[in-house]
Amino acid sequence: YTYNGSEHTATVSGYDPATMDISGNTATDAGDYTVRVTSKTGKWADGSTDAVTAAWSIGKATQEAPNGLIGVAPTTEGGDGKITGVDATMEYRATTGNYTVCPDGEITGLSAGNYFVRYAEDNNHFASSDTVVTVGEGTPLADCKITFNAGDGSGSMDSVTVKAGTYYILPSCGFTAPADQQFKAWEIGGTEYKVGDSYTVNE
């Protein structure tokens, strides 16, 4: 299962509510869970009494990159530029460097340049891809087009255009897998990446 904000109920093959009790089969948040089934009579047909258990999980969901962010040019050399439209679920970085948690409302005290803003990873979501916000005069960043190849699968996925230097979060697979197969990973330049992995796009 994948987190969607609603409660998931694990399907247990062979479970009969008339003769069995079940627990641990419902959850909402992403995580690993164990479902437990017992006989209402206290023992099974073969005389055993142990509960039957099985592991199941809810995976993190992907997030879209933030939108509606606005860069405001600095008016002083020291840097009083800002980015508006952010909140505390987001984080930002300069072209190089680590991410910093965004305050609610706006980021202030910025020098001119390009900044990368994304939704941070949390318990139920992978981090989102970056949105590039230019504060004042930033060096123009090239557009990079990402396309998806179904391999032996079928269906289609729309291409995505991002700015060079962006951390792109690999999305869920939108293709249909061949019969008796399932999606394993994205491959870029001979290296496999899982859904939710970050990839720096430079070309």
Side-chain angles (χ1 to χ4, degrees):
Y1 301 92
T2 300
Y3 174 80
N4 63 7
S6 299
E7 184 178 74
H8 290 288
T9 300
T11 300
V12 180
S13 179
Y15 167 65
D16 180 358
T19 61
M20 304 172 194
D21 291 319
I22 192 168
S23 62
N25 64 322
T26 60
T28 300
D29 292 330
D32 297 321
Y33 300 94
T34 300
V35 60
R36 187 172 187 271
V37 180
T38 56
S39 170
K40 286 187 175 181
T41 65
K43 63 180 180 180
W44 300 105
D46 63 1
S48 62
T49 58
D50 291 342
V52 177
T53 62
W56 66 287
S57 64
I58 299 174
K60 291 186 177 186
T62 54
Q63 304 183 83
E64 296 292 326
N67 56 37
L69 307 180
I70 298 172
V72 179
T75 59
T76 66
E77 237 179 84
D80 62 351
K82 60 185 179 180
I83 298 172
T84 64
V86 299
D87 62 48
T89 65
M90 301 176 190
E91 54 190 8
Y92 74 100
R93 64 179 173 91
T95 304
T96 59
N98 298 322
Y99 285 99
T100 300
V101 176
C102 295
D104 274 324
E106 60 185 33
I107 306 164
T108 58
L110 300 177
S111 302
N114 295 305
Y115 294 85
F116 297 81
V117 184
R118 70 180 183 181
Y119 285 107
E121 183 173 10
D122 60 30
N123 290 338
N124 291 315
H125 301 89
F126 295 112
S128 76
S129 297
D130 288 324
T131 292
V132 179
V133 182
T134 300
V135 174
E137 293 185 13
T139 304
L141 299 175
D143 285 333
C144 297
K145 185 177 181 181
I146 301 168
T147 58
F148 302 90
N149 186 331
D152 294 331
S154 60
S156 63
M157 288 182 65
D158 292 338
S159 62
V160 177
T161 300
V162 300
K163 295 295 184 182
T166 294
Y167 289 174
Y168 180 71
I169 303 300
L170 277 298
S172 298
C173 179
F175 298 118
T176 300
D180 300 322
Q181 296 186 38
Q182 63 182 10
F183 176 77
K184 179 187 178 187
W186 294 112
E187 181 181 312
I188 306 172
T191 301
E192 291 187 349
Y193 296 85
K194 301 187 300 294
V195 170
D197 280 353
S198 175
Y199 183 81
T200 304
V201 181
N202 287 315
E203 59 183 0

